[in-house]
Amino acid sequence: MPSSEKADQLRARKGCAPISALTAYDYPTARLLDEAGIDLLLVGDSLGMVVLGFPDTTHVTLDHMIHHTAAVARGAKNALILGDLPIHTYPDPATALVSASKLVDAGAEAVKLEGGVGQAEKVATIVEAGIPVIGHLGMLPQRVKEEGGYKKKGKTDDETQEILKGALALQAAGVSAIVLESVLPKATRLLTDHLDVPTIGIGCGQGNCDGEIAVITDIIGSYPWFVPPFATPRADVAGEITKAVKGYLDALTG
Ligand code: KIV
């Protein structure tokens, strides 16, 4: 199915069946998640932390994203493959389009970028070129240094209205959906109710968005050194790896 058709189908899910989304960074994980029936696989720049060992997403480059997007694209047949535009790769509309096109060449079927009103022209340029875009509002990990940490958003009416203004600008520019990160539940509900495009939440409280997204390592317990408070681990892959390796060592050493 052409990528724009997949993005249109995603957009049409507003208020219908909840959208399921997870991050994936490599071939086997993408294949397993795709075969399990996940709607959307995000090759997130969270790979900077949970795969590449950097302290935050600001170290991720377009080359990193291209490498991992290609691996995910080889593994997924049905899910929409969404590639994150990393920091510094979309400073203006023309550069944003070049970067988005490179992710598409690697196998992405849509791209995601962070921010609101200031990104609308970039979104419109990418969408007009035929590449679906998903927005990202609320807590913006690429701004962690300026913000001095990861802070909840939507704490005041002014802050909520600011996010809404950004969301409406992204919607008018043609996004297919908007990821909301770490927005307080009441503000999230207001945003979901005011928008025509689906919201996909992480850390916004269950059931306040049209879909949910999670970082795969949080769900399967494969990155035990940091698990966000809102995450629900459903497996202990780190524990299983340690157990298997200890068994392997024991068998070698007797
Ligand atoms: O990079 C990422 O994993 C993300 C999710 C937190 C939505 O952007």
Side-chain angles (χ1 to χ4, degrees):
M1 186 191 302
S3 57
S4 53
E5 216 171 290
K6 278 193 195 175
D8 287 349
Q9 284 187 358
L10 188 86
R11 195 183 170 127
R13 296 269 292 272
K14 176 84 188 174
C16 304
I19 296 163
S20 58
L22 285 169
T23 64
Y25 315 102
D26 57 48
Y27 171 86
T29 311
R31 188 165 169 181
L32 288 168
L33 303 187
D34 190 56
E35 287 173 1
I38 293 293
D39 295 317
L40 183 156
L41 296 183
L42 167 65
V43 190
D45 59 0
S46 50
L47 81 84
M49 286 110 86
V50 301
V51 175
L52 302 179
F54 291 121
D56 55 54
T57 65
T58 65
H59 302 262
V60 176
T61 66
L62 195 58
D63 282 345
H64 291 141
M65 293 307 304
I66 288 169
H67 182 78
H68 288 271
T69 300
V72 167
R74 284 189 285 272
K77 291 201 166 30
N78 298 307
L80 177 77
I81 301 166
L82 175 62
D84 249 346
L85 284 170
I87 192 166
H88 305 316
T89 66
Y90 51 102
D92 55 73
T95 312
L97 179 56
V98 170
S99 302
S101 302
K102 286 184 181 167
L103 287 186
V104 169
D105 289 346
E109 297 171 301
V111 299
K112 176 166 81 59
L113 49 75
E114 295 185 8
V117 174
Q119 312 296 32
E121 203 188 327
K122 300 168 196 172
V123 169
T125 301
I126 301 171
V127 170
E128 275 159 27
I131 302 173
V133 179
I134 290 183
H136 186 152
L137 289 169
M139 200 276 287
L140 305 179
Q142 291 176 8
R143 292 189 54 81
V144 64
K145 287 178 179 154
E146 290 91 325
E147 298 252 328
Y150 299 107
K151 302 194 173 133
K152 285 274 176 197
K153 297 291 174 179
K155 284 188 183 155
T156 62
D157 286 349
D158 281 356
E159 205 171 63
T160 305
Q161 286 307 316
E162 192 58 30
I163 301 171
L164 179 59
K165 209 165 114 191
L168 291 171
L170 294 179
Q171 179 172 278
V175 292
S176 304
I178 296 177
V179 167
L180 296 177
E181 179 160 3
S182 292
V183 179
L184 290 178
K186 191 168 158 231
T188 302
R189 196 67 257 168
L190 181 142
L191 292 161
T192 298
D193 290 346
H194 273 74
L195 292 169
D196 298 329
V197 293
T199 55
I200 304 176
I202 177 164
C204 299
Q206 200 75 26
N208 297 315
C209 288
D210 301 296
E212 296 290 326
I213 186 161
V215 172
I216 185 63
T217 53
D218 294 342
I219 295 301
I220 63 172
S222 62
Y223 190 86
W225 306 281
F226 174 73
V227 182
F230 54 77
T232 309
R234 295 173 191 278
D236 178 20
V237 167
E240 290 300 316
I241 291 176
T242 304
K243 214 190 303 171
V245 173
K246 282 192 173 149
Y248 175 79
L249 279 174
D250 287 349
L252 269 181
T253 56

